[in-house]
Amino acid sequence: MFRIPHSIARYDALRRAVLQNVRPPAIFFKEFITAPRHVGAVCPSGRALTTALARMAPALDNGLVIDLGAGSGMVTERLLQMGIAPERILAIELSPRLANMCRQRCPTAATLIGDARDLAAILARHAPSGRVSCVISSLPFRVMPAPLVRDILGAVKLVLLERGGFLVQYTYAWWQHYSLRQYDFHPISVQHILRNCPPARIEAYVA
């Protein structure tokens, strides 16, 4: 008789337990268990990382700041705390549960449920005119299927070419240097956030 490997059985048991007994503070972890390739981490980003990401947004500007893959709203919240006007912020999250958390955390900023591949269409509906200052991405490209990564980055590139701005992307694979160059993005800056757990690398690109 076929037997399920012990490690797989333990993972499946953990997954069922989380899905059945989840409480509000554990929603992020539940989303990771349900769709690890879309969430990419078992908990939200730490304060040092979200602060560094928020500081990348041009403060003296009126362009849109897009929080792509907003999750539970940690980056959106930090953008507001750093003085970015709520009307400049657009948080986009695929998971309805996480989007609801983002709305509760940041009620003054717009949070939309949407697929990053549809970024141009989302902006056409909700912000038909105006410039983009930057796109801050928390999407876990390193663990996503390659065709999905190409589609998302193609959508981001189209928006940046049409509306201006730059892309901010972080990764926990801090030993990888400018991995988005293969998608025709040109790196313009890098910084390492060692006080995050795990340490992170933030890169900025132009299309």
Side-chain angles (χ1 to χ4, degrees):
M1 183 175 67
F2 175 75
R3 298 192 178 201
I4 299 175
H6 185 60
S7 60
I8 297 177
R10 289 183 62 187
Y11 172 83
D12 190 56
L14 173 63
R15 180 180 181 275
R16 288 198 305 271
V18 169
L19 294 180
Q20 292 171 3
N21 301 294
V22 66
R23 296 179 180 179
I27 291 178
F28 195 96
F29 182 53
K30 175 184 176 181
E31 292 299 300
F32 172 78
I33 293 293
T34 304
R37 286 198 171 190
H38 287 93
V39 178
V42 298
C43 59
S45 304
R47 184 178 182 84
L49 177 56
T50 56
T51 298
L53 290 169
R55 284 177 175 164
M56 299 290 291
L60 301 178
D61 199 331
N62 59 1
L64 196 63
V65 178
I66 302 171
D67 184 4
L68 194 60
S72 60
M74 300 294 289
V75 174
T76 297
E77 180 181 53
R78 197 70 73 235
L79 286 166
L80 292 168
Q81 293 172 347
M82 300 288 288
I84 302 299
E87 59 270 19
R88 290 185 57 201
I89 300 172
L90 179 61
I92 300 174
E93 171 54 45
L94 182 63
S95 162
R97 292 187 183 92
L98 293 180
N100 186 54
M101 291 180 66
C102 186
R103 290 192 187 101
Q104 293 178 5
R105 185 188 299 273
C106 309
T108 61
T111 299
L112 303 176
I113 299 172
D115 192 316
R117 290 172 291 187
D118 301 326
L119 181 59
I122 292 171
L123 291 181
R125 290 194 301 269
H126 297 277
S129 62
R131 297 185 305 103
V132 167
S133 287
C134 64
V135 176
I136 301 177
S137 167
S138 298
L139 297 173
F141 289 135
R142 193 165 60 94
V143 298
M144 285 180 169
L148 178 58
V149 174
R150 285 195 297 269
D151 288 347
I152 292 174
L153 288 175
V156 172
K157 182 179 178 180
L158 177 63
V159 166
L160 297 183
L161 290 175
E162 290 183 347
R163 300 196 182 212
F166 57 93
L167 169 66
V168 178
Q169 177 68 42
Y170 76 88
T171 178
Y172 295 130
W174 46 266
W175 56 89
Q176 293 184 354
H177 291 184
Y178 306 119
S179 59
L180 300 191
R181 283 189 295 192
Q182 61 182 307
Y183 300 99
D184 296 328
F185 284 86
H186 179 71
I188 55 176
S189 72
V190 63
Q191 59 179 304
H192 295 90
I193 311 301
L194 301 180
R195 292 188 295 115
N196 193 68
C197 185
R201 176 186 174 94
I202 300 176
E203 297 175 342
Y205 296 86
V206 292

